[in-house]
Amino acid sequence: MAAAVVLLRRLRGVTAAPRRAAAALPLTTSVRGVSDSTEPLTIETSVPYKSHIVDPPPREVATTARELATFFRDMSAMRRAEIAADSLYKAKLIRGFCHLYDGQEAVAVGMEAATTRADAIITAYRDHCAYLARGGDLAALFAELMGRRGGCSRGKGGSMHLYKKDANFYGGHGIVGAQVPLGCGLAFAQRYRKEAAVTFDLYGDGAANQGQLFEALNMAALWKLPVVLVCENNHYGMGTAEWRASKSPAYYKRGDYVPGLKVDGMDVLAVKQACKFAKQHALENGPIILEMDTYRYHGHSMSDPGSTYRTRDEIAGIRQERDPIERVRKLLLAHDFATTQELKDMEKEIRKQVDTAIAKAKESPMPDPSELFTNVYVNDCGLET
């Protein structure tokens, strides 16, 4: 995986692997001095959890210097990748739909920290960072965005249809809300096979009023399926504010008979704690809803400037007060786990590796025209050569 993606930290002159075997991004940085300590420390979440018919998890979250450095690295890599995708789209190297995730990185990274690769994840079309969190390769991401053969979906899926079956990442879906019943189906399979795993089934606030969501949730509750429904509430469904689209925007309560939690989706530690709690609940009791209170900095898609239905001051205020990367940067500095310069050096290395991944992706050829006819039938049966 050459330059495409390897961001590790060299801390105190020693290269160290992430603590979890299923760490998010298989990246490597060579920044010296950042603490690699695995000594536990406890940090309180930014705000209390809000709960619906369930006792919330404690606000005190166990972490380590190594984990915080990993969070900073992975979220910074995601942020840089999305900024690069913006530039590639404007250069017309990425065509079609493109929905960016910058601002919401704590949801993908915190969720990955609470799961294993045996757990399944399925999401909507804002899927770039979920793919990376599952261990996706940066070069394969950019190749897919540019429709190249080296993409994770062979250049045939594009931005909205990333896929990584070996990590139980099932996409990337372009129809609003359509992935929710599919995610419940994945959970049904897990229960049928008696696997000790769950499915994290993601959707946005813009899909929260879809009928298929409630139909699937009803069946999941009846059958006590191990599914965690995650509403990534970035407060705008396309250009429509949540209060204009939903009579009750308390999405964590929408399950009625299904428990729910509201989580600060800009706090990666709060997300990790909530997802860990929700996974255990789902394994023992069936479905639970997590509402992630988050925010996207870009517009809905690249065709949306993102400033006609909200003010620039609102966006700047969220960046200043709640940015997930800056939150972790402050923790690393406050606990003397890193210096300002060391974190800047890490960001510089991430930028270089993203640039290298893009260069590699550009070298990948376009799919052969014959690919139009593959993956239509099982084993390509019925096709004429």
Side-chain angles (χ1 to χ4, degrees):
M1 293 194 358
V5 198
V6 220
L7 274 171
L8 285 176
R9 309 164 305 297
R10 245 173 66 202
L11 312 165
R12 296 178 181 156
V14 179
T15 301
R19 179 174 59 89
R20 297 177 63 251
L25 286 167
L27 304 176
T28 307
T29 55
S30 56
V31 178
R32 298 175 182 273
V34 181
S35 176
D36 192 31
S37 172
T38 57
E39 183 178 346
L41 71 150
T42 301
I43 296 176
E44 189 174 75
T45 63
S46 53
V47 296
Y49 296 104
K50 293 183 179 180
S51 63
H52 169 64
I53 62 171
V54 69
D55 292 329
R59 291 182 62 186
E60 294 72 28
V61 186
T63 187
T64 65
R66 178 183 289 184
E67 183 177 64
L68 289 174
T70 300
F71 287 163
F72 181 84
R73 178 201 70 192
D74 291 349
M75 291 194 292
S76 296
M78 291 174 179
R79 179 73 56 86
R80 184 61 205 164
E82 293 295 64
I83 292 171
D86 174 288
S87 299
L88 291 169
Y89 193 94
K90 290 172 179 175
K92 298 186 178 180
L93 291 170
I94 298 174
R95 309 301 290 264
F97 294 104
C98 185
H99 306 80
L100 302 182
Y101 198 76
D102 49 319
Q104 301 183 208
E105 299 92 348
V107 177
V109 171
M111 183 167 57
E112 189 65 25
T115 59
T116 71
R117 296 286 160 80
D119 299 312
I121 293 178
I122 188 169
T123 188
Y125 39 76
R126 203 179 304 278
D127 60 345
H128 303 171
C129 295
Y131 166 75
L132 290 175
R134 289 266 95 179
D137 179 67
L138 272 174
L141 166 64
F142 287 116
E144 189 61 39
L145 294 181
M146 292 187 280
R148 307 299 180 108
R149 192 184 302 170
C152 60
S153 299
R154 301 180 187 172
K156 298 165 67 173
S159 170
M160 298 194 295
H161 301 288
L162 306 178
Y163 184 66
K164 189 171 173 54
K165 186 178 180 180
D166 62 356
N168 283 311
F169 177 64
Y170 293 95
H173 294 264
I175 304 300
V176 174
Q179 73 281 3
V180 177
L182 298 179
C184 290
L186 291 170
F188 181 88
Q190 289 168 327
R191 185 184 177 203
Y192 185 82
R193 295 168 180 163
K194 295 180 172 58
E195 297 172 354
V198 307
T199 294
F200 283 79
D201 198 354
L202 281 68
Y203 60 98
D205 54 291
N209 297 315
Q210 286 276 320
Q212 56 191 327
L213 187 156
F214 295 97
E215 293 178 53
L217 183 60
N218 179 63
M219 288 189 285
L222 281 171
W223 298 334
K224 294 186 177 179
L225 300 183
V227 61
V228 180
L229 277 76
V230 182
C231 177
E232 292 187 280
N233 181 11
N234 60 29
H235 303 284
Y236 294 95
M238 297 185 71
T240 304
E242 59 177 349
W243 61 268
R244 295 182 61 197
S246 298
K247 182 63 177 176
S248 172
Y251 301 111
Y252 69 104
K253 296 181 179 180
R254 286 287 197 88
D256 185 16
Y257 42 80
V258 173
L261 286 177
K262 185 173 183 179
V263 184
D264 183 357
M266 307 293 271
D267 180 349
V268 66
L269 291 171
V271 174
K272 183 187 83 165
Q273 182 90 323
C275 289
K276 183 179 179 181
F277 172 86
K279 176 179 176 177
Q280 192 60 38
H281 180 281
L283 286 170
E284 296 174 357
N285 305 298
I288 184 172
I289 296 173
L290 298 181
E291 177 188 344
M292 299 293 180
D293 180 4
T294 186
Y295 198 84
R296 56 169 165 79
Y297 295 149
H298 267 83
H300 170 72
S301 68
M302 285 301 297
S303 62
D304 169 22
S307 57
T308 57
Y309 48 86
R310 57 183 183 174
T311 66
R312 296 188 184 279
D313 286 344
E314 176 185 309
I315 301 169
I318 298 293
R319 282 184 180 274
Q320 182 175 350
E321 297 174 11
R322 299 184 63 207
D323 185 85
I325 298 174
E326 294 308 309
R327 188 189 300 274
V328 176
R329 187 195 304 272
K330 289 175 183 176
L331 287 172
L332 288 167
L333 296 176
H335 290 273
D336 293 325
F337 294 148
T339 66
T340 300
Q341 188 58 50
E342 286 163 353
L343 297 180
K344 286 182 178 179
D345 290 343
M346 187 183 292
E347 290 172 309
K348 287 178 183 177
E349 285 211 30
I350 288 168
R351 182 167 184 162
K352 288 178 183 177
Q353 294 194 12
V354 169
D355 290 345
T356 303
I358 293 171
K360 181 179 178 181
K362 287 178 178 178
E363 294 173 357
S364 179
M366 292 293 181
D368 189 271
S370 64
E371 282 290 316
L372 285 170
F373 304 100
T374 60
N375 310 118
V376 178
Y377 299 99
V378 175
N379 297 328
D380 298 326
C381 295
L383 294 180
E384 295 181 2
T385 58

